[in-house]
Amino acid sequence: MKSYKIAAVPGDGIGTEVIEAGVEVLHALAEREGGFAFDVETFPWGADYYMEHGQMMPDNGRELLKPFDAIYFGSAGDPRIPDHITLWQFRLNICQGFDQYANVRPTRVLPGVKCPLAGVGPGDFDWVIVRENSEGEYAGVGGRAHQGHAHEVGIDVSVFTRDGVERIQRFALELARTRPRKQLTLVTKSNAQRHGMVMWDTVFEEIKSDYPDVTTDKMLVDAMTARMVLNPKSLDTIVATNLHADVLSDLAAALSGSLGIAPTANLRPEGDFPSMFEPIHGSAFDIMGKGIANPIGSFWSASMMLDHLGETAAAARLMAAIERVTAAGEVMPRDLGGEATTRQVTDAVIEAIRAAND
Ligand code: ATP
């Protein structure tokens, strides 16, 4: 029997709660499906590890993760530690170290979930945002000088390479091609940012003719926020820079009903390093330890992980189970207007997996 080696990295805050729930769901799914199993190893890195060792993960952390088929990540962030340390030493250390350059974020309104937009409901939009995940505004290039003085400066430099731009745009064009509408919107800010962003436009013009079956258009990021709210049905697949897509995907998550639902995949399409799957939300300290975190973002991320592993039937079964629970509306987590705990939502999804008779 095939056994997938999964590295669970729950991290901080509610990350630990939703990843534990997700691992339970994965095991239930493997049992129901037959033919494969999960061999899950948990790496307890993050804020507590930092308090003990002075770093978020060990020096050889990536070496330890490299042999795994996939990484299932919770969240990074803790009030005791500055955010830029938790982010760079932990999540970005893994994403950038493994050159997981394609960050993929599907968004739609699940059945039974209320979209905050009037007149928009389940089935009305189905987006995938593709975020450049290796460079751009988050390349980490820059510095500070004259610290503490009145003339202190802080500089962040965006780095766009032709290779980096072309590979993410081709990835998005390929992805758009597999979707029913075969439509891709390129998002930039090439009116105000006249170097790297113009290169994004130029590269897109050069390569899009290789995908004649994909309909394309272009938007400036500010106008894009308005289009997402005012005309969500007009969009399908979207590609944007690291920063722009980061912001757009939080908006997208909110439009899907709650940040607690949204999943993401950090893909290394070449497969020479493992890819990483995580809910989009952060550590949410206001609700940590209370057992009320919505685990659906973590479950949906697990479904993306199954797709990536080639277990497409199991991925679809998991999504169907999630949707059966949200559509029934009896066991809804608090952020979706219900009263259910993480445990109850997890049990309901496992029950739906077991009950499926197809
Ligand atoms: P970080 O800085 O790590 O991103 P944060 O607390 O600023 O963390 P999020 O964790 O993304 O931001 O959460 C924002 C708010 O959304 C939280 O206050 C929380 O109440 C809510 N939230 C996020 N995820 C969930 C979830 N899975 N279930 C329920 N509520 C959630």
Side-chain angles (χ1 to χ4, degrees), residues 18-33 36 38 40 72 295-296 298-303 305-306 314-315 317-319 321-322 342-354:
V18 298
I19 292 301
E20 196 183 306
V23 168
E24 260 188 72
V25 163
L26 281 171
H27 286 309
L29 197 63
E31 215 173 272
R32 171 68 182 77
E33 208 73 21
F36 66 88
F38 295 104
V40 180
Y72 191 31
I296 291 177
S298 168
F299 298 164
W300 193 342
S301 306
S303 172
M305 182 162 77
L306 289 161
R317 188 188 297 283
L318 176 50
M319 278 320 288
I322 293 168
T342 311
R343 176 78 267 153
Q344 289 168 326
V345 178
T346 306
D347 287 343
V349 170
I350 289 174
E351 183 60 37
I353 288 168
R354 292 190 178 140

Short mmCIF file of all heavy atoms in Angstrom, two decimals, residues 18-33 36 38 40 72 295-296 298-303 305-306 314-315 317-319 321-322 342-354:
data_model
loop_
_atom_site.label_atom_id
_atom_site.label_comp_id
_atom_site.label_asym_id
_atom_site.label_seq_id
_atom_site.Cartn_x
_atom_site.Cartn_y
_atom_site.Cartn_z
N VAL A 18 -5.75 23.48 14.30
CA VAL A 18 -6.35 23.11 13.01
C VAL A 18 -5.53 22.05 12.27
O VAL A 18 -6.09 21.27 11.48
CB VAL A 18 -6.60 24.35 12.10
CG1 VAL A 18 -7.60 25.29 12.75
CG2 VAL A 18 -5.32 25.08 11.72
N ILE A 19 -4.23 21.98 12.52
CA ILE A 19 -3.43 20.95 11.86
C ILE A 19 -3.70 19.58 12.50
O ILE A 19 -3.82 18.56 11.82
CB ILE A 19 -1.92 21.30 11.87
CG1 ILE A 19 -1.68 22.52 10.98
CG2 ILE A 19 -1.06 20.13 11.43
CD1 ILE A 19 -2.09 22.37 9.52
N GLU A 20 -3.84 19.59 13.83
CA GLU A 20 -4.20 18.33 14.51
C GLU A 20 -5.53 17.79 13.95
O GLU A 20 -5.66 16.60 13.65
CB GLU A 20 -4.33 18.60 16.00
CG GLU A 20 -4.31 17.36 16.86
CD GLU A 20 -4.51 17.72 18.33
OE1 GLU A 20 -3.76 18.57 18.85
OE2 GLU A 20 -5.43 17.13 18.93
N ALA A 21 -6.48 18.70 13.78
CA ALA A 21 -7.78 18.30 13.22
C ALA A 21 -7.61 17.79 11.78
O ALA A 21 -8.20 16.77 11.39
CB ALA A 21 -8.75 19.50 13.24
N GLY A 22 -6.78 18.47 11.01
CA GLY A 22 -6.57 18.09 9.61
C GLY A 22 -5.91 16.72 9.49
O GLY A 22 -6.26 15.93 8.59
N VAL A 23 -4.98 16.42 10.39
CA VAL A 23 -4.31 15.12 10.34
C VAL A 23 -5.32 14.00 10.64
O VAL A 23 -5.34 12.95 9.99
CB VAL A 23 -3.11 15.09 11.32
CG1 VAL A 23 -2.59 13.67 11.52
CG2 VAL A 23 -1.99 16.01 10.81
N GLU A 24 -6.22 14.26 11.59
CA GLU A 24 -7.28 13.28 11.90
C GLU A 24 -8.14 13.01 10.66
O GLU A 24 -8.47 11.87 10.34
CB GLU A 24 -8.21 13.86 12.97
CG GLU A 24 -7.94 13.38 14.36
CD GLU A 24 -9.06 13.87 15.28
OE1 GLU A 24 -10.18 13.35 15.19
OE2 GLU A 24 -8.79 14.79 16.07
N VAL A 25 -8.48 14.11 9.98
CA VAL A 25 -9.32 13.99 8.78
C VAL A 25 -8.59 13.21 7.69
O VAL A 25 -9.17 12.35 7.01
CB VAL A 25 -9.76 15.39 8.30
CG1 VAL A 25 -10.26 15.36 6.87
CG2 VAL A 25 -10.84 15.94 9.22
N LEU A 26 -7.29 13.48 7.54
CA LEU A 26 -6.51 12.77 6.52
C LEU A 26 -6.51 11.26 6.78
O LEU A 26 -6.68 10.45 5.87
CB LEU A 26 -5.06 13.29 6.49
CG LEU A 26 -4.84 14.61 5.75
CD1 LEU A 26 -3.42 15.12 5.99
CD2 LEU A 26 -5.09 14.46 4.25
N HIS A 27 -6.32 10.88 8.05
CA HIS A 27 -6.31 9.45 8.38
C HIS A 27 -7.69 8.83 8.11
O HIS A 27 -7.79 7.72 7.57
CB HIS A 27 -5.90 9.23 9.84
CG HIS A 27 -4.42 9.45 10.07
ND1 HIS A 27 -3.45 8.84 9.32
CD2 HIS A 27 -3.76 10.19 10.98
CE1 HIS A 27 -2.24 9.21 9.74
NE2 HIS A 27 -2.40 10.04 10.76
N ALA A 28 -8.75 9.56 8.46
CA ALA A 28 -10.11 9.03 8.23
C ALA A 28 -10.34 8.84 6.73
O ALA A 28 -10.96 7.87 6.28
CB ALA A 28 -11.15 9.98 8.81
N LEU A 29 -9.83 9.77 5.97
CA LEU A 29 -10.00 9.72 4.52
C LEU A 29 -9.25 8.52 3.92
O LEU A 29 -9.79 7.80 3.06
CB LEU A 29 -9.46 11.02 3.94
CG LEU A 29 -9.84 11.41 2.55
CD1 LEU A 29 -11.34 11.64 2.42
CD2 LEU A 29 -9.11 12.70 2.16
N ALA A 30 -8.03 8.31 4.38
CA ALA A 30 -7.23 7.19 3.86
C ALA A 30 -7.93 5.87 4.18
O ALA A 30 -7.98 4.95 3.35
CB ALA A 30 -5.83 7.22 4.46
N GLU A 31 -8.50 5.80 5.39
CA GLU A 31 -9.22 4.59 5.81
C GLU A 31 -10.43 4.34 4.90
O GLU A 31 -10.68 3.23 4.44
CB GLU A 31 -9.73 4.83 7.23
CG GLU A 31 -9.73 3.62 8.12
CD GLU A 31 -10.08 4.07 9.52
OE1 GLU A 31 -9.16 4.45 10.27
OE2 GLU A 31 -11.29 4.07 9.83
N ARG A 32 -11.16 5.43 4.62
CA ARG A 32 -12.36 5.33 3.79
C ARG A 32 -12.03 4.98 2.34
O ARG A 32 -12.71 4.19 1.69
CB ARG A 32 -13.13 6.66 3.85
CG ARG A 32 -14.28 6.81 2.89
CD ARG A 32 -15.42 5.86 3.27
NE ARG A 32 -16.53 5.95 2.33
CZ ARG A 32 -16.54 5.39 1.11
NH1 ARG A 32 -15.50 4.71 0.69
NH2 ARG A 32 -17.60 5.51 0.34
N GLU A 33 -10.93 5.58 1.86
CA GLU A 33 -10.56 5.45 0.46
C GLU A 33 -9.91 4.10 0.18
O GLU A 33 -10.18 3.46 -0.83
CB GLU A 33 -9.60 6.59 0.12
CG GLU A 33 -9.61 7.03 -1.32
CD GLU A 33 -10.87 7.81 -1.67
OE1 GLU A 33 -11.54 8.34 -0.76
OE2 GLU A 33 -11.21 7.84 -2.85
N PHE A 36 -4.13 3.72 0.11
CA PHE A 36 -2.99 4.54 0.55
C PHE A 36 -3.14 4.92 2.02
O PHE A 36 -4.23 4.80 2.59
CB PHE A 36 -2.83 5.80 -0.32
CG PHE A 36 -3.96 6.79 -0.18
CD1 PHE A 36 -3.95 7.76 0.81
CD2 PHE A 36 -5.05 6.74 -1.04
CE1 PHE A 36 -4.98 8.66 0.93
CE2 PHE A 36 -6.09 7.65 -0.92
CZ PHE A 36 -6.06 8.62 0.08
N PHE A 38 -1.20 7.59 5.33
CA PHE A 38 -0.31 8.72 5.61
C PHE A 38 0.61 8.37 6.77
O PHE A 38 0.17 7.87 7.80
CB PHE A 38 -1.13 9.97 5.98
CG PHE A 38 -1.98 10.47 4.85
CD1 PHE A 38 -3.34 10.24 4.84
CD2 PHE A 38 -1.40 11.15 3.78
CE1 PHE A 38 -4.13 10.69 3.79
CE2 PHE A 38 -2.18 11.59 2.73
CZ PHE A 38 -3.54 11.36 2.73
N VAL A 40 2.63 10.40 9.12
CA VAL A 40 2.76 11.81 9.49
C VAL A 40 3.77 11.97 10.62
O VAL A 40 3.67 11.32 11.66
CB VAL A 40 1.39 12.37 9.96
CG1 VAL A 40 1.51 13.84 10.35
CG2 VAL A 40 0.33 12.19 8.88
N TYR A 72 2.62 20.03 5.74
CA TYR A 72 1.30 20.51 6.13
C TYR A 72 1.54 21.50 7.26
O TYR A 72 1.90 21.11 8.38
CB TYR A 72 0.48 19.29 6.58
CG TYR A 72 -1.00 19.51 6.79
CD1 TYR A 72 -1.73 20.43 6.06
CD2 TYR A 72 -1.69 18.73 7.73
CE1 TYR A 72 -3.09 20.59 6.26
CE2 TYR A 72 -3.04 18.87 7.93
CZ TYR A 72 -3.74 19.81 7.20
OH TYR A 72 -5.09 19.96 7.40
N PRO A 295 -11.67 24.80 11.41
CA PRO A 295 -10.62 23.99 10.78
C PRO A 295 -10.81 23.82 9.27
O PRO A 295 -10.04 23.10 8.63
CB PRO A 295 -10.79 22.64 11.49
CG PRO A 295 -12.26 22.54 11.76
CD PRO A 295 -12.75 23.96 11.98
N ILE A 296 -11.81 24.48 8.67
CA ILE A 296 -12.12 24.21 7.26
C ILE A 296 -10.99 24.67 6.33
O ILE A 296 -10.67 23.99 5.36
CB ILE A 296 -13.49 24.83 6.87
CG1 ILE A 296 -14.60 24.06 7.58
CG2 ILE A 296 -13.71 24.79 5.34
CD1 ILE A 296 -16.00 24.59 7.35
N SER A 298 -7.90 24.56 6.98
CA SER A 298 -6.90 23.50 7.10
C SER A 298 -7.34 22.25 6.31
O SER A 298 -6.52 21.61 5.65
CB SER A 298 -6.73 23.19 8.59
OG SER A 298 -6.01 22.03 8.79
N PHE A 299 -8.62 21.93 6.34
CA PHE A 299 -9.13 20.75 5.61
C PHE A 299 -9.03 20.99 4.10
O PHE A 299 -8.64 20.10 3.34
CB PHE A 299 -10.60 20.45 5.96
CG PHE A 299 -10.84 20.10 7.41
CD1 PHE A 299 -12.13 20.13 7.94
CD2 PHE A 299 -9.80 19.72 8.25
CE1 PHE A 299 -12.37 19.81 9.27
CE2 PHE A 299 -10.03 19.40 9.59
CZ PHE A 299 -11.31 19.45 10.09
N TRP A 300 -9.41 22.20 3.68
CA TRP A 300 -9.36 22.52 2.25
C TRP A 300 -7.90 22.46 1.77
O TRP A 300 -7.59 21.97 0.68
CB TRP A 300 -10.01 23.89 2.00
CG TRP A 300 -10.31 24.24 0.58
CD1 TRP A 300 -9.78 23.66 -0.54
CD2 TRP A 300 -11.20 25.27 0.11
NE1 TRP A 300 -10.28 24.28 -1.68
CE2 TRP A 300 -11.16 25.26 -1.31
CE3 TRP A 300 -12.02 26.21 0.74
CZ2 TRP A 300 -11.90 26.15 -2.09
CZ3 TRP A 300 -12.77 27.10 -0.04
CH2 TRP A 300 -12.71 27.06 -1.43
N SER A 301 -6.98 22.93 2.62
CA SER A 301 -5.55 22.85 2.28
C SER A 301 -5.12 21.39 2.15
O SER A 301 -4.31 21.04 1.28
CB SER A 301 -4.69 23.52 3.34
OG SER A 301 -5.11 24.84 3.58
N ALA A 302 -5.66 20.54 3.02
CA ALA A 302 -5.36 19.11 2.94
C ALA A 302 -5.87 18.53 1.63
O ALA A 302 -5.23 17.66 1.01
CB ALA A 302 -5.98 18.37 4.13
N SER A 303 -7.01 19.03 1.16
CA SER A 303 -7.55 18.57 -0.12
C SER A 303 -6.62 18.98 -1.26
O SER A 303 -6.36 18.20 -2.19
CB SER A 303 -8.97 19.14 -0.32
OG SER A 303 -9.41 18.87 -1.62
N MET A 305 -3.46 19.36 -0.95
CA MET A 305 -2.29 18.50 -0.80
C MET A 305 -2.54 17.14 -1.46
O MET A 305 -1.67 16.60 -2.15
CB MET A 305 -1.98 18.33 0.70
CG MET A 305 -0.76 17.49 1.03
SD MET A 305 -0.20 17.79 2.71
CE MET A 305 -1.39 16.85 3.63
N LEU A 306 -3.76 16.61 -1.28
CA LEU A 306 -4.11 15.34 -1.91
C LEU A 306 -4.07 15.44 -3.43
O LEU A 306 -3.56 14.54 -4.11
CB LEU A 306 -5.50 14.89 -1.45
CG LEU A 306 -5.55 14.43 0.00
CD1 LEU A 306 -6.98 14.45 0.52
CD2 LEU A 306 -4.95 13.04 0.14
N ALA A 314 -9.64 11.26 -3.69
CA ALA A 314 -9.69 11.54 -2.25
C ALA A 314 -9.83 13.03 -2.00
O ALA A 314 -10.57 13.48 -1.10
CB ALA A 314 -8.44 10.99 -1.56
N ALA A 315 -9.14 13.83 -2.82
CA ALA A 315 -9.23 15.30 -2.69
C ALA A 315 -10.68 15.74 -2.90
O ALA A 315 -11.22 16.55 -2.14
CB ALA A 315 -8.32 15.98 -3.69
N ARG A 317 -13.36 13.87 -2.59
CA ARG A 317 -14.22 13.35 -1.51
C ARG A 317 -14.15 14.25 -0.28
O ARG A 317 -15.15 14.52 0.38
CB ARG A 317 -13.79 11.93 -1.13
CG ARG A 317 -14.78 11.29 -0.16
CD ARG A 317 -14.29 9.96 0.37
NE ARG A 317 -14.11 8.94 -0.64
CZ ARG A 317 -15.11 8.25 -1.20
NH1 ARG A 317 -16.34 8.47 -0.84
NH2 ARG A 317 -14.86 7.33 -2.10
N LEU A 318 -12.93 14.73 0.02
CA LEU A 318 -12.78 15.61 1.18
C LEU A 318 -13.55 16.92 0.95
O LEU A 318 -14.27 17.39 1.85
CB LEU A 318 -11.28 15.89 1.45
CG LEU A 318 -10.95 16.87 2.57
CD1 LEU A 318 -11.70 16.54 3.86
CD2 LEU A 318 -9.44 16.89 2.84
N MET A 319 -13.42 17.51 -0.24
CA MET A 319 -14.18 18.74 -0.51
C MET A 319 -15.68 18.50 -0.43
O MET A 319 -16.43 19.32 0.10
CB MET A 319 -13.83 19.30 -1.91
CG MET A 319 -12.56 20.11 -1.98
SD MET A 319 -12.25 21.21 -0.60
CE MET A 319 -13.46 22.50 -0.83
N ALA A 321 -17.17 16.30 1.37
CA ALA A 321 -17.54 16.14 2.79
C ALA A 321 -17.65 17.51 3.47
O ALA A 321 -18.59 17.78 4.22
CB ALA A 321 -16.52 15.25 3.49
N ILE A 322 -16.67 18.38 3.20
CA ILE A 322 -16.72 19.73 3.79
C ILE A 322 -18.00 20.43 3.35
O ILE A 322 -18.73 21.02 4.15
CB ILE A 322 -15.49 20.56 3.32
CG1 ILE A 322 -14.18 19.98 3.88
CG2 ILE A 322 -15.64 22.03 3.72
CD1 ILE A 322 -12.91 20.56 3.24
N THR A 342 -14.13 23.32 17.19
CA THR A 342 -13.24 22.67 16.22
C THR A 342 -13.51 21.17 16.21
O THR A 342 -13.57 20.53 15.16
CB THR A 342 -11.76 22.94 16.61
OG1 THR A 342 -11.60 24.33 16.86
CG2 THR A 342 -10.79 22.49 15.52
N ARG A 343 -13.66 20.60 17.40
CA ARG A 343 -13.92 19.16 17.55
C ARG A 343 -15.19 18.75 16.81
O ARG A 343 -15.23 17.76 16.09
CB ARG A 343 -14.04 18.87 19.06
CG ARG A 343 -14.39 17.50 19.51
CD ARG A 343 -13.24 16.52 19.45
NE ARG A 343 -13.23 15.82 18.18
CZ ARG A 343 -12.15 15.33 17.60
NH1 ARG A 343 -10.98 15.45 18.15
NH2 ARG A 343 -12.22 14.71 16.46
N GLN A 344 -16.25 19.54 17.01
CA GLN A 344 -17.54 19.18 16.40
C GLN A 344 -17.49 19.29 14.87
O GLN A 344 -18.03 18.43 14.17
CB GLN A 344 -18.66 20.08 16.96
CG GLN A 344 -18.99 19.73 18.41
CD GLN A 344 -19.86 20.78 19.08
OE1 GLN A 344 -19.74 21.99 18.80
NE2 GLN A 344 -20.74 20.36 19.96
N VAL A 345 -16.81 20.31 14.37
CA VAL A 345 -16.71 20.45 12.91
C VAL A 345 -15.88 19.29 12.35
O VAL A 345 -16.23 18.69 11.33
CB VAL A 345 -16.08 21.81 12.51
CG1 VAL A 345 -15.94 21.91 11.00
CG2 VAL A 345 -16.93 22.97 13.05
N THR A 346 -14.80 18.96 13.06
CA THR A 346 -13.93 17.85 12.62
C THR A 346 -14.73 16.55 12.59
O THR A 346 -14.68 15.79 11.61
CB THR A 346 -12.72 17.72 13.56
OG1 THR A 346 -12.07 18.99 13.64
CG2 THR A 346 -11.73 16.67 13.08
N ASP A 347 -15.47 16.29 13.66
CA ASP A 347 -16.27 15.06 13.72
C ASP A 347 -17.31 15.02 12.60
O ASP A 347 -17.54 13.97 11.99
CB ASP A 347 -16.98 14.94 15.08
CG ASP A 347 -16.00 14.59 16.20
OD1 ASP A 347 -14.89 14.12 15.88
OD2 ASP A 347 -16.35 14.80 17.37
N ALA A 348 -17.90 16.18 12.32
CA ALA A 348 -18.94 16.23 11.28
C ALA A 348 -18.32 15.92 9.91
O ALA A 348 -18.92 15.19 9.11
CB ALA A 348 -19.62 17.59 11.28
N VAL A 349 -17.14 16.46 9.65
CA VAL A 349 -16.50 16.21 8.34
C VAL A 349 -16.08 14.74 8.25
O VAL A 349 -16.27 14.08 7.21
CB VAL A 349 -15.32 17.18 8.11
CG1 VAL A 349 -14.50 16.78 6.89
CG2 VAL A 349 -15.84 18.62 7.95
N ILE A 350 -15.55 14.18 9.34
CA ILE A 350 -15.16 12.76 9.32
C ILE A 350 -16.39 11.88 9.10
O ILE A 350 -16.37 10.92 8.32
CB ILE A 350 -14.42 12.39 10.64
CG1 ILE A 350 -13.04 13.06 10.65
CG2 ILE A 350 -14.29 10.87 10.81
CD1 ILE A 350 -12.25 12.90 11.93
N GLU A 351 -17.46 12.25 9.75
CA GLU A 351 -18.73 11.52 9.60
C GLU A 351 -19.19 11.56 8.12
O GLU A 351 -19.60 10.54 7.55
CB GLU A 351 -19.77 12.20 10.51
CG GLU A 351 -21.13 11.55 10.54
CD GLU A 351 -21.07 10.11 11.03
OE1 GLU A 351 -20.27 9.83 11.93
OE2 GLU A 351 -21.82 9.29 10.45
N ALA A 352 -19.07 12.75 7.53
CA ALA A 352 -19.49 12.90 6.12
C ALA A 352 -18.58 12.08 5.19
O ALA A 352 -19.04 11.53 4.20
CB ALA A 352 -19.47 14.37 5.73
N ILE A 353 -17.31 11.99 5.53
CA ILE A 353 -16.38 11.17 4.72
C ILE A 353 -16.80 9.70 4.80
O ILE A 353 -16.88 8.99 3.80
CB ILE A 353 -14.92 11.33 5.25
CG1 ILE A 353 -14.38 12.72 4.91
CG2 ILE A 353 -14.01 10.24 4.70
CD1 ILE A 353 -13.09 13.08 5.63
N ARG A 354 -17.10 9.26 6.04
CA ARG A 354 -17.46 7.84 6.23
C ARG A 354 -18.81 7.51 5.62
O ARG A 354 -19.03 6.42 5.13
CB ARG A 354 -17.48 7.52 7.73
CG ARG A 354 -16.09 7.57 8.32
CD ARG A 354 -16.02 7.01 9.73
NE ARG A 354 -14.64 7.04 10.20
CZ ARG A 354 -14.28 7.38 11.43
NH1 ARG A 354 -15.19 7.71 12.33
NH2 ARG A 354 -13.00 7.39 11.76
#
